[in-house]
Amino acid sequence: MADQLTIMAVHAHPDDEVISTGGVFARYAAEGIRTVLVTCTNGEEGDAPGGIKPGEPGHDANAVRAQRLSELRESAALLGIEHVELLGYRDSGMDGWDGNQDPEAFRNIPVEQSAARLADLIRHYRPQVVVTYDENGNYGHPDHIQANRIAVAATTETGIPDKLYYTAIPRESSLEMFEELRSRGLVDFEPPEDFGTPMELITAVVDVAPYAQRKVKALEAHASQGDSVPFLRMPSDLQQMIFSAESFTRHLNRVPDAPDQETDLFAGLR
């Protein structure tokens, strides 16, 4: 493909594309930048129709897969994602779940094998910007950690992307957000003091306020999954506040003119 400006995000499951990158996908698509989503697993360890959890009677992995991939197509369309690439691995589930033991689970696939497939996609689309999770998968999910590993390996192997970013949750503003949510009775979760990424380590904050409600619509497309429900129950003012910016830490930069602190992942590339 021609070397037009392209962003590629490497995510673990259907619905992961929304919270941390839905805004940049929508914004850059509106600017005419090519948008590519790589989803590593089919999400089999998600909630089944009727809210049935993994391990409960009636949980059908095939039905979950079909449902979640259908939801992914709808979400991608809402966010303006032009290309959706499915690696098709089996969802590993959270750390310690029975799904961890499945030999077909993403976490059990050799990194070099899945990284080679991602490298082929990088060679095809030639993205200047690649986005994935940090080394801990942002919160320790095995599939998120594996997505980081293959994104780093494929980026290194191909030498094509100019920048590699990790999604980040700003610690200070997140703690304030949870305090506000608790005061309104919307959540009872109290994050640890080390939750998220300290602001001094964040290198890019992208304004996506015009696309906040589009992120909400994309989350609604994934409403079968319990993780989406708390966000969908929030009043619109809180949704707008939470979804108006997306933050990242930069872990690769081959662009001499890129500033240390960015408001655009394509800074120095336009």
Side-chain angles (χ1 to χ4, degrees):
M1 285 192 171
D3 289 352
Q4 73 177 88
L5 289 181
T6 301
I7 182 172
M8 173 185 285
V10 182
H11 280 294
H13 311 101
D15 77 0
D16 288 335
E17 77 281 354
V18 182
I19 297 294
S20 59
T21 57
V24 292
F25 267 136
R27 170 177 165 168
Y28 291 137
E31 293 177 4
I33 290 172
R34 184 167 56 204
T35 49
V36 183
L37 168 64
V38 179
T39 300
C40 298
T41 81
N42 297 320
E44 291 92 343
E45 293 291 308
D47 294 351
I52 301 172
K53 303 293 184 184
E56 294 180 349
H59 187 276
D60 182 344
N62 291 330
V64 176
R65 178 176 62 246
Q67 172 179 264
R68 297 194 72 181
L69 294 180
S70 175
E71 292 172 341
L72 177 62
R73 289 190 290 272
E74 182 179 352
S75 170
L78 288 163
L79 296 173
I81 299 172
E82 186 178 357
H83 302 278
V84 178
E85 297 285 354
L86 305 175
L87 296 188
Y89 294 115
R90 196 188 192 288
D91 189 342
S92 307
M94 296 290 288
D95 193 31
W97 288 15
D98 290 345
N100 294 177
Q101 309 308 315
D102 192 314
E104 301 300 319
F106 182 40
R107 68 176 290 166
N108 297 324
I109 304 300
V111 169
E112 60 271 19
Q113 179 178 322
S114 44
R117 294 181 60 197
L118 179 60
D120 286 342
L121 292 173
I122 289 176
R123 293 187 186 99
H124 178 68
Y125 289 107
R126 307 191 67 80
Q128 293 85 3
V129 172
V130 172
V131 179
T132 191
Y133 317 101
D134 66 19
E135 298 92 337
N136 190 46
N138 288 120
Y139 66 98
H141 194 297
D143 288 334
H144 288 226
I145 293 171
Q146 193 78 336
N148 166 273
R149 290 170 178 162
I150 74 167
V152 171
T155 297
T156 302
E157 176 188 338
T158 61
I160 290 172
D162 295 300
K163 296 180 178 182
L164 172 66
Y165 292 93
Y166 296 168
T167 59
I169 302 171
R171 177 175 297 170
E172 296 81 359
S173 60
S174 294
L175 294 176
E176 293 174 4
M177 176 196 74
F178 279 111
E179 179 59 35
E180 177 69 18
L181 293 175
R182 284 196 304 275
S183 70
R184 298 196 190 194
L186 295 171
V187 300
D188 56 9
F189 171 68
E190 185 166 357
E193 290 186 2
D194 62 352
F195 180 85
T197 303
M199 201 63 206
E200 64 264 23
L201 299 181
I202 289 175
T203 60
V205 179
V206 182
D207 178 9
V208 295
Y211 307 98
Q213 289 308 305
R214 196 174 301 182
K215 288 180 67 170
V216 173
K217 293 295 184 185
L219 265 186
E220 289 174 348
H222 294 290
S224 71
Q225 301 308 303
D227 290 345
S228 303
V229 172
F231 294 103
L232 297 177
R233 287 177 177 164
M234 293 176 187
S236 58
D237 63 317
L238 278 183
Q239 290 174 338
Q240 186 69 31
M241 178 184 73
I242 291 168
F243 294 148
S244 287
E246 292 173 353
S247 300
F248 306 87
T249 58
R250 192 174 66 197
H251 284 263
L252 168 71
N253 178 36
R254 298 191 178 104
V255 183
D257 295 334
D260 292 337
Q261 294 294 319
E262 300 174 310
T263 57
D264 175 14
L265 302 185
F266 289 88
L269 287 165
R270 294 181 185 269

